[in-house]
Amino acid sequence: MDSENRMNALTWGLLLLLGLIWGGSFFFARIAVHHVPPFTLVLLRLSLAAVALHVYLAGRFGIYQVLRSHWRQFLMLGLINNAVPHTLIFFGQTEMGAGLASILNATTPIWTVLIGNQLTTDERLTSAKLAGCLAGLVGTVILLAPSVTNSASVPFWALLLPIIAAISYGFAAIYAKRFKGIAPPVVAASQLTGSSLIMLPVALVIDQPWMLATPPAAAIAAILGLALLSTAFAYILYFRIMALAGATNASLVTLLVPPSAMLLGFLFLGERLGFTEIAGMMLIALGLLILDGRTYAWIRHGMRAGAA
């Protein structure tokens, strides 16, 4: 029993750490995007993280053979799980803070459920999933409404970008099921390799990074934090949590990312969220809790116990 308690404490500690690190990705991006164009920033994040993971793997798990035999699939996964969503989020963060961007992107599980219901036969909508999706979508509408009426400081197009990124992550989650027989660290390193190759010509042609001014030390530190801490190390930590607690428990980190990003934005960037943003976040969080399933089961159990 004691060992189980220690394992639970360890798992929660790692989850909190991962939530802080992934929340930090929005914080780092908000700093860096003021000095580095989004396409180049995406390239730096992905390529540095890919190199770090290749060093970490050191050829283990047959990574190079896997890359040779599945390179087309990893290019696709890298496109929809890294290149496209990161680019959209960084462009959105040119106009919005870390906290708001993280809240909008936290809708990823909602879109994953809706996409899975359409594209797969084993992930059908249940009453609980439908309730969770509806709560999350209402929260999203609340976040978008002020921009539609031109009463918000963030333009509508910028708010849409993290949501489209979340939809891209949803498609990626379904597509990634084909890699079940491959070691997760290999999938991570391989998709980062593929997405780096995709972003290289884009950044070179559009941004011409050799013409850019050298970013300040704070931006360089943010880029390194984004690539090495919030991408490479975060993947390793996530796989560790999955090994200890399973994929369902690891998915709880989704609830921890927005508060972490909001806290970092508040402490170091002076960001504030208004009532509308907080209300939208609470509804999205409620939707995620319902999608998790355990909250819905606890409610039903409590209702039955009350009736008895």
Side-chain angles (χ1 to χ4, degrees):
M1 186 68 174
D2 291 340
S3 62
E4 183 179 349
N5 290 334
R6 284 197 297 270
M7 180 67 72
N8 289 337
L10 173 62
T11 301
W12 277 110
L14 293 177
L15 269 174
L16 290 170
L17 177 60
L18 182 59
L20 181 63
I21 290 173
W22 268 342
S25 68
F26 296 92
F27 167 72
F28 292 137
R30 180 61 173 168
I31 296 173
V33 81
H34 287 299
H35 304 281
V36 180
F39 290 122
T40 298
L41 184 58
V42 173
L43 173 63
L44 290 171
R45 176 182 188 175
L46 299 177
S47 59
L48 291 173
V51 170
L53 282 180
H54 277 285
V55 171
Y56 168 75
L57 285 169
R60 290 178 295 152
F61 304 111
I63 181 172
Y64 302 121
Q65 180 180 352
V66 171
L67 267 172
R68 283 194 298 270
S69 56
H70 298 281
W71 65 269
R72 293 180 182 85
Q73 292 91 335
F74 283 122
L75 279 175
M76 175 58 71
L77 184 61
L79 177 67
I80 60 178
N81 201 41
N82 297 135
V84 168
H86 292 346
T87 299
L88 293 172
I89 291 170
F90 290 168
F91 269 105
Q93 286 202 257
T94 62
E95 298 286 343
M96 78 181 78
L100 182 54
S102 68
I103 293 169
L104 292 167
N105 196 240
T107 58
T108 295
I110 295 166
W111 300 112
T112 303
V113 168
L114 294 175
I115 293 167
N117 180 66
Q118 294 297 315
L119 299 184
T120 67
T121 57
D122 58 342
E123 294 195 22
R124 293 304 183 188
L125 276 177
T126 62
S127 57
K129 288 182 178 180
L130 181 59
C133 289
L134 288 175
L137 291 175
V138 170
T140 304
V141 170
I142 289 175
L143 290 172
L144 292 176
S147 289
V148 175
T149 58
N150 295 320
S151 61
S153 57
V154 180
F156 182 69
W157 66 264
L159 291 173
L160 278 181
L161 295 185
I163 298 174
I164 299 173
I167 295 173
S168 185
Y169 282 134
F171 279 107
I174 302 302
Y175 186 80
K177 289 185 174 184
R178 67 187 60 205
F179 301 106
K180 276 187 176 179
I182 302 174
V186 172
V187 176
S190 299
Q191 66 173 303
L192 287 169
T193 302
S195 55
S196 298
L197 293 174
I198 291 170
M199 292 306 303
L200 180 61
V202 176
L204 291 179
V205 172
I206 297 176
D207 290 342
Q208 299 182 344
W210 60 89
M211 302 290 291
L212 302 174
T214 303
I220 294 174
I223 292 169
L224 292 175
L226 191 61
L228 302 180
L229 184 62
S230 295
T231 307
F233 179 69
Y235 269 126
I236 296 170
L237 187 58
Y238 181 69
F239 299 141
R240 175 64 174 162
I241 294 170
M242 286 185 66
L244 289 173
T248 301
N249 285 323
S251 68
L252 291 174
V253 73
T254 309
L255 293 166
L256 303 175
V257 173
S260 299
M262 290 166 55
L263 179 62
L264 291 169
F266 172 77
L267 292 176
F268 299 105
L269 301 177
E271 296 179 1
R272 302 288 191 277
L273 291 179
F275 174 78
T276 300
E277 288 87 354
I278 293 174
M281 180 190 70
M282 297 302 292
L283 277 171
I284 291 172
L286 175 63
L288 296 179
L289 283 170
I290 296 173
L291 284 179
D292 177 59
R294 283 167 288 190
T295 302
Y296 186 72
W298 293 337
I299 293 174
R300 290 184 64 185
H301 179 74
M303 292 175 63
R304 288 173 179 172

